[in-house]
Amino acid sequence: MKKKILHANKFIVLLMLTCGICMFPQKKSEKEDIYKNALGDLYTHPEKTITISEYLSINADADEERSKALNLKAEAQILQGNYIVALNALLESLHSNSFNDDSTELLRTNLILGDLYRKLGVIPKAEERLDLVEKKFDGNFTDVPEKISLYIDFLTARSILLCEQKKYLKATEVIDDALLKKFSSRFPYQVSRSYSQLAKAYGMDQKWDRSLQYAEKALQLSIKSGLEENFMAYAELDVAKANFIQKNKQQYLSEIPKLIILAEKVNDIVLKKNIHQFLADFYLSEGNNAKYQFHNLKYLELNESINSAQQKASDLILALSESDFKAKDHRRYKTNHILIWVIGFAFLVLGFVFWFRFRTRQNYNYYKEYISKLKKTQKEEEIMISGKEDVEEMSKTPQLIPEKTEQILLEKLLAFEKGKDFTKKSLTLHSLAKELDTNTRYLSEIVNKHKQKNFNSYINELRINYIINKLRNEPSFLNYKISYLAEESGFSSHTSFSTVFKTVTGISPKEFISFIKKEFSIAN
């Protein structure tokens, strides 16, 4: 009897183990199906994608699985303009996968993070992320489907960043047209986005024939591959723009009804803004003031919302760097290798001495270069608005701001720069536009065109230049604490001030002050 019971128990245990083994891949397969459905809803129902990705990240069985869900959540949040939530998701994903350098999801995290930094105007960090991705590819990707699609996305992201830096020729050269043709049927999403980006890059370089060629390629591929309507909107807008600039009236008129519908349906807040901006420009050219006012108001509302979200996210980046996450991670996992540290201590000290000397010399060069640049910029400020020819040469792109209005705005900006209003913590694009008696669209375009930077970077640089002039011309400022200098120049915190200061000048405020003191002591 006992033997029968023993055999029965063994059978039950074996049966349970067998069921468990069978259920594990089933559970994994179900999660994969859920992920694919959420990915399919990304452009049509991003809020649904967010909910599902949060569920997947909470119930993930492995770090890479969790990272995958967080990346999807970040992409959906970016579409809706929730940049802070997206940033937190990406940093969490980075932290989850930090010990797996060869992970495909780590590549994806860096790629999305780089694109987000670009959207927020933090170009050095965007370049840093894309460089990391490029090193990991190193030409070895064609045998892994996931990496092929990621590589195409990487080329697109690199091209977009080059356009941001006004390197339009490089932006068109970086995307491999032969690669796109080869993989267009396998990865229509990625290839269509690359074609759209080429259309934008050629348009920015005033090569509208080429722009239209790639815009139509993107649209044809989207239609042929059956991509959802929201995704096709990118291509539709590119085709309409290229035809509008080339005055192909019959062609762009056929796109207008589609764009009117898409303006209400798309879930990408930036794309929605761009569609309303194009429709406003179109109706202005047609003399339809009522419809121009309607779409221009929509554009301004969306632009204000996006700028506000970008400003908050930029502040978060300045206040909380990725190194904080890495530091916590290292503290959690580091072990005590005292012997190794003792043996290496002598080499470390020697290396530190050489490094410190090299860094000090290098930072002093940064200091001299920046002071020279600052003096040169101050001399050129008056020249910038001295005549119409200068204004016209600043940009080749067509614009809708009347020439006289542009000149007046430039003069007002010069007066604004000579004052102290930019040190107000409450200053925003909207408040400055109101103060200058204009709208945010005009002001944003003027800043982008004549200052070659976005609004946030423009204000931050004015603040840093202001405090540098104070330090150099009023010696008492050299004895103030960094927190006071931050407050005086309009920054919300010591950390924000220090981070922006180093981004603008290349060195920290403390070192900058020490170099000024050194020059004063030599002069005396």
Side-chain angles (χ1 to χ4, degrees):
M1 185 69 179
K2 286 182 179 179
K3 283 185 179 180
K4 286 183 178 180
I5 294 171
L6 183 62
H7 285 305
N9 287 340
K10 284 182 178 179
F11 177 74
I12 291 167
V13 171
L14 186 61
L15 185 65
M16 289 174 68
L17 285 171
T18 305
C19 291
I21 291 166
C22 292
M23 286 176 68
F24 178 75
Q26 186 180 357
K27 182 182 176 184
K28 190 174 182 181
S29 176
E30 284 176 2
K31 281 187 180 178
E32 190 61 33
D33 287 342
I34 291 170
Y35 173 83
K36 285 178 181 176
N37 289 334
L39 182 61
D41 287 329
L42 179 60
Y43 290 96
T44 51
H45 301 98
E47 67 289 339
K48 185 178 175 183
T49 297
I50 290 166
T51 303
I52 295 172
S53 61
E54 285 174 346
Y55 163 79
L56 290 172
S57 67
I58 291 168
N59 294 280
D61 297 317
D63 286 342
E64 186 155 1
E65 194 179 313
R66 176 175 171 75
S67 180
K68 191 175 182 179
L70 288 166
N71 287 342
L72 183 58
K73 175 184 175 181
E75 287 187 279
Q77 295 287 7
I78 289 170
L79 285 175
Q80 296 195 313
N82 302 324
Y83 300 122
I84 289 180
V85 182
L87 180 62
N88 281 323
L90 290 168
L91 293 178
E92 192 177 344
S93 174
L94 207 61
H95 171 71
S96 296
N97 236 346
S98 59
F99 291 99
N100 190 1
D101 284 348
D102 295 323
S103 161
T104 302
E105 285 310 315
L106 185 59
L107 282 175
R108 193 185 304 279
T109 304
N110 280 310
L111 197 56
I112 302 168
L113 191 55
D115 199 48
L116 179 57
Y117 283 146
R118 177 194 59 78
K119 286 177 186 289
L120 300 177
V122 191
I123 302 302
K125 281 185 174 288
E127 284 183 316
E128 179 187 325
R129 288 292 145 195
L130 291 187
D131 288 343
L132 281 173
V133 174
E134 188 169 23
K135 284 177 186 175
K136 288 297 177 185
F137 278 121
D138 195 25
N140 183 24
F141 61 87
T142 52
D143 56 337
V144 183
E146 280 189 2
K147 285 198 174 181
I148 297 169
S149 66
L150 265 178
Y151 185 70
I152 296 170
D153 280 340
F154 159 72
L155 295 180
T156 305
R158 178 69 83 186
S159 178
I160 294 170
L161 185 59
L162 287 167
C163 281
E164 195 82 19
Q165 297 168 313
K166 304 188 185 303
K167 298 173 182 177
Y168 305 127
L169 181 60
K170 285 186 178 180
T172 58
E173 291 174 344
V174 77
I175 296 179
D176 187 345
D177 206 356
L179 185 74
L180 300 187
K181 286 178 184 176
K182 183 177 178 180
F183 293 108
S184 61
S185 59
R186 290 178 65 186
F187 307 108
Y189 279 100
Q190 288 76 14
V191 173
S192 179
R193 284 187 70 242
S194 283
Y195 281 146
S196 285
Q197 170 50 28
L198 280 170
K200 290 180 178 67
Y202 277 116
M204 290 176 180
D205 203 21
Q206 302 296 298
K207 296 175 181 175
W208 291 106
D209 286 339
R210 299 280 280 168
S211 177
L212 182 57
Q213 175 189 340
Y214 281 103
E216 287 175 342
K217 275 189 176 185
L219 184 56
Q220 288 164 11
L221 179 59
S222 299
I223 295 168
K224 180 182 175 183
S225 305
L227 302 185
E228 62 263 21
E229 196 173 35
N230 283 264
F231 193 84
M232 286 173 62
Y234 297 96
E236 297 277 9
L237 180 59
D238 290 331
V239 169
K241 274 186 177 179
N243 279 315
F244 184 70
I245 295 296
Q246 289 193 300
K247 299 182 180 178
N248 300 328
K249 193 164 186 176
Q250 188 176 351
Q251 284 84 351
Y252 70 73
L253 282 177
S254 68
E255 295 291 337
I256 298 300
K258 300 175 192 174
L259 290 174
I260 291 171
I261 295 169
L262 289 169
E264 300 307 316
K265 293 181 72 173
V266 295
N267 294 294
D268 182 337
I269 189 171
V270 175
L271 176 60
K272 188 187 284 282
K273 177 198 81 168
N274 291 339
I275 291 174
H276 280 297
Q277 183 182 13
F278 174 75
L279 289 172
D281 292 345
F282 164 72
Y283 284 117
L284 183 65
S285 72
E286 293 287 301
N288 190 330
N289 194 52
K291 288 187 177 180
Y292 161 74
Q293 292 290 349
F294 172 79
H295 289 289
N296 193 49
L297 182 61
K298 290 277 188 182
Y299 159 76
L300 292 174
E301 287 172 354
L302 288 166
N303 195 49
E304 180 66 23
S305 173
I306 291 166
N307 282 330
S308 176
Q310 286 176 334
Q311 179 66 61
K312 289 175 183 176
S314 296
D315 289 344
L316 177 64
I317 291 170
L318 297 174
L320 184 65
S321 69
E322 295 157 38
S323 60
D324 296 327
F325 283 82
K326 289 179 182 176
K328 290 176 185 176
D329 198 55
H330 287 311
R331 283 197 296 270
R332 189 186 303 170
Y333 295 103
K334 71 179 180 179
T335 56
N336 189 8
H337 298 299
I338 297 174
L339 185 59
I340 295 172
W341 282 108
V342 170
I343 293 170
F345 182 72
F347 292 101
L348 187 66
V349 170
L350 187 62
F352 177 77
V353 169
F354 281 108
W355 171 81
F356 183 78
R357 286 180 179 176
F358 171 76
R359 197 200 67 168
T360 302
R361 192 181 301 112
Q362 186 182 49
N363 286 349
Y364 186 67
N365 288 336
Y366 286 150
Y367 164 78
K368 295 296 288 182
E369 284 173 13
Y370 194 79
I371 293 298
S372 175
K373 176 186 167 186
L374 186 60
K375 289 176 180 177
K376 185 180 177 183
T377 303
Q378 288 169 346
K379 287 178 182 177
E380 290 177 349
E381 285 296 336
E382 298 287 348
I383 300 171
M384 285 182 64
I385 60 165
S386 61
K388 294 179 182 178
E389 290 181 6
D390 292 334
V391 172
E392 290 169 356
E393 288 173 4
M394 292 298 293
S395 173
K396 296 179 182 178
T397 57
Q399 65 148 49
L400 296 171
I401 303 178
E403 202 170 87
K404 187 176 179 182
T405 302
E406 182 174 6
Q407 190 73 9
I408 291 169
L409 270 178
L410 282 170
E411 290 170 0
K412 287 182 177 180
L413 265 186
L414 183 61
F416 166 73
E417 290 169 8
K418 289 181 177 179
K420 278 185 62 178
D421 283 355
F422 52 78
T423 63
K424 293 177 181 177
K425 291 180 183 177
S426 59
L427 183 69
T428 63
L429 179 67
H430 181 76
S431 66
L432 182 56
K434 190 175 180 181
E435 186 180 326
L436 299 182
D437 194 25
T438 186
N439 59 52
T440 54
R441 180 182 174 190
Y442 279 11
L443 179 57
S444 181
E445 185 176 329
I446 289 291
V447 170
N448 287 331
K449 177 180 173 184
H450 292 277
K451 307 300 177 181
Q452 287 83 48
K453 53 182 73 72
N454 64 29
F455 180 76
N456 294 335
S457 301
Y458 168 62
I459 296 301
N460 283 340
E461 195 166 311
L462 285 178
R463 290 170 172 174
I464 296 301
N465 290 343
Y466 165 77
I467 208 65
I468 286 173
N469 283 325
K470 284 286 187 184
L471 290 166
R472 296 182 70 242
N473 298 319
E474 298 181 33
S476 60
F477 272 74
L478 295 171
N479 300 315
Y480 293 146
K481 291 182 178 179
I482 301 295
S483 56
Y484 176 83
L485 300 179
E487 181 76 22
E488 173 69 17
S489 54
F491 287 93
S492 57
S493 69
H494 173 292
T495 307
S496 297
F497 171 74
S498 297
T499 307
V500 173
F501 194 102
K502 188 165 184 178
T503 300
V504 172
T505 66
I507 58 176
S508 68
K510 187 177 179 181
E511 284 182 292
F512 205 96
I513 290 169
S514 71
F515 290 139
I516 296 176
K517 285 181 176 178
K518 186 178 178 181
E519 286 192 345
F520 278 173
S521 64
I522 292 170
N524 293 329

